[in-house]
Amino acid sequence: MPEQDVTVGQLLLAEYQTVKDEQKARIGFRDNLLYVTLAVVAAVIAAAAQAKQASMLLALPPVCVVLGWTYLVNDQKISAIGAYVREELGPRLAALAEPGGGFRAFGWETAHRGDARRRSRKAVQLLVDLSAFCAVPLAALVLFWADGGSGALLVVLSVLEALAVGGLGWQVVRYAKGE
């Protein structure tokens, strides 16, 4: 089998394709987590209403925290891939293409971030994330507490769940700020 020389540029382009494929897969997975969350919320609320058991609402906080955390981690990895392409791969490939400078590789990775409506979209996305993964389970806990017919163990569990949801909310806001 003849030996083939592989250039640094080819390696960088292959790496670019690989990380973009991972980013695309993570975007699809992340976006589907919102739909899964909505389906689970609807199912739990319907079951609790049909059974007339407010304690069944205690299933929502742990499910929303797990799905929300998974959503958040994937969102962070998606952003990290974009930053890696902008800050590492793009400049290295540009330096190979035009050693004197001036060429920018993967311009879309930067251009789409300069959109005038980006901040408002990010704010709305933060509200959607907080609503889906935090407000809904907190509302379920409020309904559980308002029902009042539960034992001490379930109340303690519900307080722990409220703390977990609050922790997730803090992380969602923290990540949205770019920390």
Side-chain angles (χ1 to χ4, degrees):
M1 191 167 181
E3 210 174 291
Q4 292 183 345
D5 291 333
V6 177
T7 67
V8 173
Q10 289 170 324
L11 288 174
L12 290 174
L13 287 173
E15 182 179 10
Y16 171 76
Q17 189 59 53
T18 301
V19 296
K20 290 305 282 186
D21 287 346
E22 179 182 346
Q23 187 182 48
K24 186 169 80 173
R26 284 183 179 276
I27 288 169
F29 182 73
R30 177 203 61 193
D31 292 352
N32 283 329
L33 285 170
L34 274 173
Y35 303 126
V36 169
T37 301
L38 291 174
V40 168
V41 165
V44 170
I45 290 172
Q50 187 174 11
K52 294 184 171 80
Q53 291 290 321
S55 61
M56 291 177 74
L57 294 173
L58 292 179
L60 281 179
V63 168
C64 288
V65 166
V66 168
L67 291 172
W69 181 254
T70 305
Y71 178 94
L72 189 62
V73 167
N74 271 281
D75 191 59
Q76 188 279 327
K77 295 297 182 207
I78 291 163
S79 295
I81 289 169
Y84 178 72
V85 169
R86 280 189 312 278
E87 297 164 13
E88 298 290 328
L89 281 181
R92 287 169 46 202
L93 194 58
L96 288 174
E98 190 176 310
F103 175 72
R104 287 183 48 168
F106 313 126
W108 173 249
E109 296 291 337
T110 304
H112 79 278
R113 298 175 61 81
D115 179 4
R117 293 190 201 121
R118 183 170 191 269
R119 289 181 68 103
S120 63
R121 276 196 315 276
K122 295 285 278 179
V124 169
Q125 188 63 54
L126 174 61
L127 289 175
V128 168
D129 295 347
L130 287 172
S131 296
F133 300 117
C134 300
V136 168
L138 287 176
L141 288 170
V142 168
L143 289 172
F144 168 75
W145 292 327
D147 185 56
S150 301
L153 186 59
L154 287 181
V155 172
V156 168
L157 175 64
S158 70
V159 170
L160 293 174
E161 289 180 347
L163 292 172
V165 171
L168 175 63
W170 177 71
Q171 289 294 325
V172 168
V173 170
R174 190 170 157 233
Y175 274 89
K177 289 181 176 179
E179 289 181 25

